């Protein structure tokens, strides 16, 4: 098997085009890594591999079909909202900077096929020239996720925008600049939808958010989603739940005029889609690589695609192990993507690192409202067969007498009998969101809610009450476990 692969590599290398950039002069003696996708996962993997091995030992070629590498999609809502002024601020490292570090990064170059038998990929160059085959010793699949676009009438109309890439952000900003009406509809009330709602409010739009779920932020339990809805309504954002979008109606000029739902129409001068994403695994699937239940690639702990020694995958195109429920899930987050890349680069560089899984931690904000979540929701716990108790408490961000103290709501789930922490959701104002990290650490450590009550957290009136809201919830959960456990 290894021998066959080596022969395949040599044969395929006859077709390799000249590397571009500064790497051109480097004489390659060692192995070649081919990376597909040049954002968080791909460039973290490439950079880490380069740190571990120099160009004489490892040639690193990265193919990116888009026009940007190493950019922060996470920053798009803040760029659109005007908090971040320059698009360039969202670019961590330019292609030239990567090339200067010995990574052969080829932009606007799409990988169109993977040939597993001969260990090579087919590449379409930017100028629509002839496709060529490039051999690899290691292949990194870092193709990310693609946004869900239901095939509804009017979905492609002018004025309907996604927010997946920097080009999407620029196009949306252009629309916002010249459009005269001030009505915006956001379809989807997940974290990207609510962050975009804030961005549009900051740009002076009247914002309606339409979602098929009863409450916004379906990553929370509905009772906590209701807290978010109430706060968003208080900010003047209209939330329309339990509503399916059936079409986008266009005006005589072909531009978006309204979002049509089962029950009524919502006039719109601009529409932003935040309906969610799917793993971008079409390339991998076509090559015959096995996909999991959520259409993502499944890897081992070192981020190798299961059953393939020299194929690695990470970021939004893989499924990750949920350490709380024990199930695989698709959780497309930049924080995981960067860690996956680091693990992959270390492995390719000859070292050892692993990604054990996630506890499902995420934070987001809409205007001055902060939302944090970690672990399982009630419905996840039920689906995993976990028996649990829940508590919800109201507290404050600072000592109640200290200026600026604001309300915080904390919901906690603990396992019946054992009292093991299962999940936490937090909604509040300044200082609420990142409190979730305490719960994430407790979950990772497998702590019980009783053990949590003894955590030695920092206290001073400007930062928290003497019992931090997370600990207040843990104390109440201890009682609930005793009573109902
Ligand atoms: C608006 C928005 C806000 C977000 N906010 C947060 C946040 O606050 N916190 C958080 O943790 N995460 C956030 N995320 C998610 C985060 O951006 C992603 O999880 C992260 O970018 C995933 O990185 P990746 O490298 O796996 O995939 P991607 O960033 O999607 O990169 C994949 C790359 O592969 C390229 N590619 C795909 N197929 C091919 C091919 N065949 N050939 C060549 N190139 C190919 C694509 O063009 C793309 O550049 C946000 C995402 C968005 C859209």
């Amino acid at each position: 098997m290894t021998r066959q692969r080596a022969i395949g590599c040599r044969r395929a290398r006859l077709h390799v085009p000249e590397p571009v950039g500064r790497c051109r002069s480097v004489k390659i003696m060692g192995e070649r890594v081919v990376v597909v996708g040049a954002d968080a996962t791909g460039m973290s993997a490439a950079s880490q591999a380069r740190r571990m091995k120099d160009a004489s030992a490892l040639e690193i070629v990265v193919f990116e079909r888009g026009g940007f590498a190493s950019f922060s999609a996470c920053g798009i809502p803040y760029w659109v909202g005007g908090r971040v002024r320059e698009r360039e601020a969202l670019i961590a490292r330019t292609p030239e900077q990567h090339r200067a570090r010995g990574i052969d990064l080829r932009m606007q170059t799409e990988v169109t096929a993977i040939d597993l038998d001969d260990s090579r990929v087919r590449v379409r160059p930017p100028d629509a020239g002839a496709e060529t085959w490039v051999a690899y010793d290691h292949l990194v699949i870092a193709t990310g996720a693609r946004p869900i676009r239901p095939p509804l009438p009017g979905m492609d109309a002018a004025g309907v925008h996604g927010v997946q890439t920097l080009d999407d952000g620029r196009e949306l900003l252009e629309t916002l600049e010249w459009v005269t009406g001030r009505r915006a509809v956001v379809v989807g009330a997940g974290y990207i939808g609510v962050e975009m709602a804030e961005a549009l409010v900051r740009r002076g739009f009247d914002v309606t958010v339409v979602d098929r779920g009863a409450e916004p932020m379906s990553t929370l339990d509905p009772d906590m989603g209701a807290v978010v809805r109430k706060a968003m309504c208080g900010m003047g954002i209209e939330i329309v739940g339990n509503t399916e979008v059936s079409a986008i109606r266009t005006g005589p000029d072909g531009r978006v005029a309204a979002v049509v739902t089962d029950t009524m129409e919502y006039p719109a001068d601009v529409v932003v889609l935040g309906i969610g994403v799917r793993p971008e695994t079409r390339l991998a699937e076509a090559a015959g690589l096995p996909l999991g239940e959520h259409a993502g690639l499944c890897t081992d702990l070192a981020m190798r695609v299961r059953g393939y020694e020299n194929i690695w995958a990470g970021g939004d195109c893989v499924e990750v192990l949920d350490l709380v429920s024990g199930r695989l899930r698709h959780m497309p987050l930049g924080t995981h993507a960067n860690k996956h890349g680091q693990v992959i680069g270390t492995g390719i560089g000859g070292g050892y690192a692993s990604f054990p899984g996630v506890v499902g931690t995420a934070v987001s904000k809409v205007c001055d409202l902060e939302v944090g979540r970690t672990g399982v929701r009630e419905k996840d716990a039920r689906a995993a067969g976990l028996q649990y108790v829940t508590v919800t408490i109201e507290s404050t961000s600072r000592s109640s007498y200290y200026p600026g103290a604001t309300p915080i709501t904390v919901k906690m789930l603990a396992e019946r009998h054992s009292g093991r922490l299962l999940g936490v959701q937090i909604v509040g104002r300044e200082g609420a969101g990142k409190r979730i990290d305490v719960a994430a650490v407790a979950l990772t450590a497998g702590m019980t809610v009783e053990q949590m009550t003894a955590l030695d957290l920092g206290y001073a009136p400007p930062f928290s009450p003497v019992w931090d809201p997370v600990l207040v919830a843990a104390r109440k959960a201890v009682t609930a476990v005793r009573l109902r456990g």
Side-chain angles (χ1 to χ4, degrees):
M1 166 89 173
T2 315
R3 184 169 159 69
Q4 268 176 351
R5 187 175 293 139
I7 292 167
C9 286
R10 212 170 295 132
R11 180 154 43 86
R13 277 200 179 150
L14 294 173
H15 306 281
V16 175
E18 268 287 285
V20 295
R22 292 185 185 204
C23 314
R24 191 173 288 193
S25 59
V26 177
K27 192 167 188 313
I28 306 297
M29 305 296 289
E31 294 184 311
R32 175 185 294 146
V33 184
V34 166
V35 181
V36 191
D39 196 23
T41 309
M43 293 322 298
S44 297
S47 301
Q48 177 64 4
R50 175 52 73 236
R51 273 180 220 114
M52 299 199 54
K53 278 190 177 168
D54 68 18
S56 65
L58 198 64
E59 179 189 10
I60 304 173
V61 188
V62 184
F63 296 111
E64 168 54 53
R65 68 180 171 196
F68 297 94
S70 292
F71 69 94
S72 169
C74 315
I76 292 174
Y78 309 103
W79 173 39
V80 172
R83 271 186 184 270
V84 176
R85 297 222 166 274
E86 299 295 327
R87 182 187 68 184
E88 280 55 40
L90 304 186
I91 298 171
R93 209 165 274 152
T94 63
E96 292 70 29
Q97 287 170 324
H98 282 300
R99 287 179 194 131
R101 291 157 54 111
I103 296 169
D104 180 3
L105 171 55
R106 306 190 196 181
M107 301 302 297
Q108 281 158 345
T109 305
E110 183 168 7
V111 172
T112 54
I114 302 170
D115 176 351
L116 296 176
D117 292 333
D118 279 345
S119 297
R120 57 184 191 162
V121 295
R122 195 175 62 210
V123 173
R124 180 184 297 147
D127 52 7
E131 297 195 351
T132 50
W133 287 98
V134 176
Y136 61 80
D137 297 293
H138 293 274
L139 175 67
V140 180
I141 303 177
T143 45
R146 65 177 190 278
I148 295 170
R149 291 279 174 277
L152 299 175
M155 224 23 153
D156 296 327
V160 179
H161 295 271
V163 283
Q164 190 74 10
T165 65
L166 294 186
D167 282 335
D168 292 340
R170 180 185 43 77
E171 283 165 23
L172 173 58
L173 272 170
E174 281 167 12
T175 297
L176 299 183
E177 263 153 35
W178 69 260
V179 80
T180 46
R182 294 281 105 189
R183 295 159 309 179
V185 175
V186 178
V187 183
Y191 82 92
I192 291 178
V194 302
E195 286 176 2
M196 289 313 301
E198 168 182 338
L200 293 161
V201 166
R202 284 178 59 86
R203 290 276 170 190
F205 283 76
D206 295 328
V207 181
T208 301
V209 182
V210 181
D211 196 282
R212 60 152 70 114
E215 302 292 355
M217 304 275 319
S218 62
T219 49
L220 305 177
D221 283 322
D223 51 344
M224 293 297 277
V227 181
V228 175
R229 175 175 43 80
K230 220 169 134 194
M232 287 180 74
C233 291
M235 296 164 190
I237 298 170
E238 185 185 11
I239 306 281
V240 182
N242 287 324
T243 301
E244 198 79 43
V245 170
S246 51
I248 306 287
R249 186 168 61 71
T250 50
D253 56 358
R255 288 189 46 78
V256 60
V259 170
V260 184
T261 73
D262 301 343
T263 46
M264 63 183 287
E265 282 194 8
Y266 296 89
D269 303 297
V270 60
V271 171
V272 174
L273 304 174
I275 313 176
V277 294
R278 287 211 180 90
E280 177 54 286
T281 45
R282 288 174 290 189
L283 190 63
E285 190 180 21
L289 291 170
L291 302 184
E293 194 187 330
H294 308 283
L297 285 156
C298 298
T299 69
D300 63 13
L301 297 184
M303 305 309 299
R304 283 185 163 97
V305 174
R306 279 193 205 154
Y308 294 83
E309 221 178 282
N310 62 336
I311 304 185
W312 312 69
D316 285 5
C317 65
V318 303
E319 299 184 5
V320 288
L321 178 65
D322 182 328
L323 296 170
V324 184
S325 67
R327 297 158 77 102
L328 284 172
R329 60 191 287 197
H330 183 229
M331 195 170 186
L333 286 175
T335 171
H336 306 157
N338 280 284
K339 292 184 183 99
H340 291 168
Q342 184 83 5
V343 168
I344 293 169
T346 302
I348 290 174
Y352 172 71
S354 65
F355 184 83
V358 304
V359 291
T361 312
V363 280
S364 40
K365 76 183 256 306
V366 47
C367 300
D368 65 347
L369 188 77
E370 298 184 1
V371 180
R373 58 98 58 220
T374 191
V376 292
R377 300 164 296 182
E378 291 198 48
K379 77 173 185 185
D380 307 318
R382 284 194 295 272
L386 290 161
Q387 294 193 357
Y388 61 91
V389 297
T390 71
V391 295
T392 302
I393 64 103
E394 304 287 341
S395 181
T396 51
S397 57
R398 305 170 179 182
S399 292
S400 54
Y401 54 80
Y402 192 87
T406 52
I408 287 188
T409 307
V410 181
K411 176 171 181 174
M412 191 170 280
L413 278 76
E415 190 174 24
R416 272 186 70 190
H417 304 300
S418 74
R420 177 170 66 108
L421 179 68
L422 293 178
V424 177
Q425 297 159 36
I426 302 179
V427 180
R429 307 279 159 165
E430 191 191 349
K434 282 295 272 179
R435 276 194 157 90
I436 204 67
D437 288 346
V438 172
V441 172
L443 265 177
T444 307
M447 293 176 83
T448 64
V449 284
E450 185 151 15
Q451 287 170 328
M452 278 185 82
T453 61
L455 282 174
D456 185 14
L457 304 184
Y459 158 68
F463 299 103
S464 74
V466 68
W467 281 92
D468 188 89
V470 173
L471 298 191
V472 175
R475 282 175 58 182
K476 196 167 172 191
V478 171
T479 308
V481 170
R482 282 192 190 132
L483 287 176
R484 284 177 268 154

